[in-house]
Amino acid sequence: NAGVTQTPKFRILKIGQSMTLQCAQDMNHNYMYWYRQDPGMGLKLIYYSVGAGITDKGEVPNGYNVSRSTTEDFPLRLELAAPSQTSVYFCASTGHNQPQHFGDGTRLSIL
Amino acid sequence: AQKITQTQPGMFVQEKEAVTLDCTYDTSDQSYGLFWYKQPSSGEMIFLIYQGSYDEQNATEGRYSLNFQKARKSANLVISASQLGDSAMYFCAMRELRGDSSYKLIFGSGTRLLVRP
């Protein structure tokens, strides 16, 4: 049972570089989410999607972009990496009236 | 705006004893859900228990129970018979319901629980 798969698990970027964090789910969930977790803190919502072709901003969307071309995939794009984006990123998905299923996270450091 | 508050940054409990982790929330919605997640040192988020605002009974899942007091807007997690493997961060979260029935989770800042042998 794959569930929610995030890649990569770890990444170090230089300031100004760009990258895409991948997220895929095999549970046919309509709803997908990206969170970031800073050290010692709870999770904050970056972007979410209620279905293919539909995305919306969460609490902290600045510096990020998303797309949802298929039900399964919900990539998160960082265009110009900044040190403030050093964090652990979690992708999650859910069906109707279910708890969110989380991926194992991507630990991103920007130096 | 909806808000989740966890006032205990850290807690200790003796192995085999029970422990209560506090969570209070603020919402003007009538329909909402409350969740508890466990995050061990390995980092993954593990769903523990869920309580709906209209549920009449307090939720239970094995050694986990949720002490839901709607009038006080609290949803405390009770872990009975603590085990060493219960040492982790615990997050309370609230479901914010959108019109299309999707939901965003709002998380508290977490409580770190350490179980002493």
Side-chain angles (χ1 to χ4, degrees), chain A residues 33-94:
Chain A
Y33 309 82
W34 274 105
Y35 294 90
R36 60 176 286 173
Q37 184 181 29
D38 297 330
M41 306 293 287
L43 279 68
K44 293 187 177 179
L45 184 65
I46 305 172
Y47 270 95
Y48 65 100
S49 169
V50 303
I54 306 169
T55 62
D56 207 347
K57 296 178 181 179
E59 298 174 80
V60 289
N62 291 343
Y64 307 94
N65 278 300
V66 294
S67 60
R68 185 95 182 270
S69 56
T70 67
T71 299
E72 295 78 18
D73 300 301
F74 190 41
L76 178 72
R77 179 84 178 161
L78 283 72
E79 290 294 349
L80 289 171
S84 61
Q85 294 176 304
T86 294
S87 191
V88 179
Y89 292 83
F90 287 97
C91 179
S93 74
T94 187

Side-chain angles (χ1 to χ4, degrees), chain B residues 86-102:
Chain B
D86 293 335
S87 294
M89 281 289 284
Y90 289 82
F91 291 99
C92 181
M94 180 168 62
R95 181 189 73 183
E96 180 181 318
L97 184 66
R98 290 186 72 229
D100 60 3
S101 298
S102 68

Side-chain angles (χ1 to χ4, degrees), chain B residues 49-63:
Chain B
I49 196 166
Y50 166 79
Q51 179 83 42
S53 58
Y54 292 117
D55 293 342
E56 294 184 355
Q57 302 283 342
N58 284 347
T60 61
E61 288 286 347
R63 295 187 298 111

Side-chain angles (χ1 to χ4, degrees), chain A residues 31 33 35 37 40-43 45 48 50 56-59 90 94-104, chain B residues 35 37 39 41-47 50 89 91 95 98 100-110:
Chain A
Y31 312 126
Y33 309 82
Y35 294 90
Q37 184 181 29
M41 306 293 287
L43 279 68
L45 184 65
Y48 65 100
V50 303
D56 207 347
K57 296 178 181 179
E59 298 174 80
F90 287 97
T94 187
H96 183 64
N97 275 338
Q98 296 178 19
Q100 292 189 8
H101 298 262
F102 284 84
D104 289 340
Chain B
F35 300 78
Y37 283 85
Q39 187 178 42
S41 58
S42 50
E44 70 268 31
M45 295 290 287
I46 301 168
F47 165 72
Y50 166 79
M89 281 289 284
F91 291 99
R95 181 189 73 183
R98 290 186 72 229
D100 60 3
S101 298
S102 68
Y103 61 89
K104 299 178 286 185
L105 282 181
I106 300 168
F107 283 83
S109 56

